[in-house]
Amino acid sequence: MSKLFYVIGASGAGKDTLMNYVRTHINGSEQVAFAHRYITRPPFTGNENHVYLSTDEFLLRINAGLFALHWESHNQHYGIGLEINAWLEKGFNVIVNGSRQYLPIAQQLYPAMKVILIDAKPEIIAERLASRGRESTADIEKRMARTAEIDTDLKNCVKIQNNGSIEEAGNELLNIISTTQKIYM
């Protein structure tokens, strides 16, 4: 039985870094598929290997029903393609970089999914956001305020603190996915 892992956390918490860490350590050794996000943000602006779509392309795909999940955040559109359903049907565990605000809808669509919250101390998140050079100081402050507003006291959620080394939090995420892989396969 396959499992959908819905990874969430504030911008700067380290979701992409930890997911990339897990991807390189699994490296095809387990039936795990990492879903690309389709985003209206141009490529090469961060650590995420996403698929860029113009707003018009994105809206066309929504209207055609080509997304399993989709949401809007920070003036960008985000989507996860229907291919995840085929991967799940083929017995793959699927890892999705999701949205905290979209979580209730995702849980309605995939009630058996496992939610993993990547968290970090606010000062670490602010430092990471500043170092990626994508947002102004005002934008970073807005993101930090938004993070404080979103309830992260989630039920049935595994929480990973990403305040230390990539290896420490990355191995924790790897263990969650690998253990689940062995249970369900």
Side-chain angles (χ1 to χ4, degrees), residues 12-116:
K15 297 180 304 294
D16 296 322
T17 299
L18 297 182
M19 289 170 64
N20 287 335
Y21 178 89
V22 169
R23 175 184 274 142
T24 60
H25 283 75
I26 289 176
N27 196 23
S29 65
E30 299 182 25
Q31 279 191 274
V32 175
F34 291 81
H36 286 88
R37 292 198 296 183
Y38 298 86
I39 307 176
T40 55
R41 179 179 67 224
F44 309 113
T45 56
N47 196 18
E48 180 178 6
N49 182 16
H50 70 276
V51 177
Y52 168 71
L53 297 176
S54 70
T55 301
D56 289 339
E57 287 175 295
F58 195 96
L59 296 175
L60 177 66
R61 289 183 187 209
I62 287 175
N63 291 332
L66 299 179
F67 291 121
L69 306 164
H70 64 87
W71 62 92
E72 188 175 347
S73 182
H74 303 290
N75 300 315
Q76 304 292 336
H77 294 279
Y78 295 80
I80 306 295
L82 282 176
E83 61 269 19
I84 67 168
N85 294 332
W87 299 342
L88 290 165
E89 288 174 15
K90 295 285 185 183
F92 278 76
N93 284 338
V94 177
I95 317 301
V96 169
N97 186 341
S99 162
R100 294 167 295 161
Q101 288 186 308
Y102 188 74
L103 178 60
I105 296 168
Q107 287 175 315
Q108 287 175 0
L109 296 170
Y110 298 92
M113 74 180 183
K114 183 151 192 92
V115 179
I116 301 171

Side-chain angles (χ1 to χ4, degrees), residues 154-168:
L154 305 168
K155 307 276 187 274
N156 302 319
C157 173
V158 176
K159 189 173 186 178
I160 297 175
Q161 282 299 126
N162 187 21
N163 296 317
S165 70
I166 293 170
E167 293 80 14
E168 185 179 343

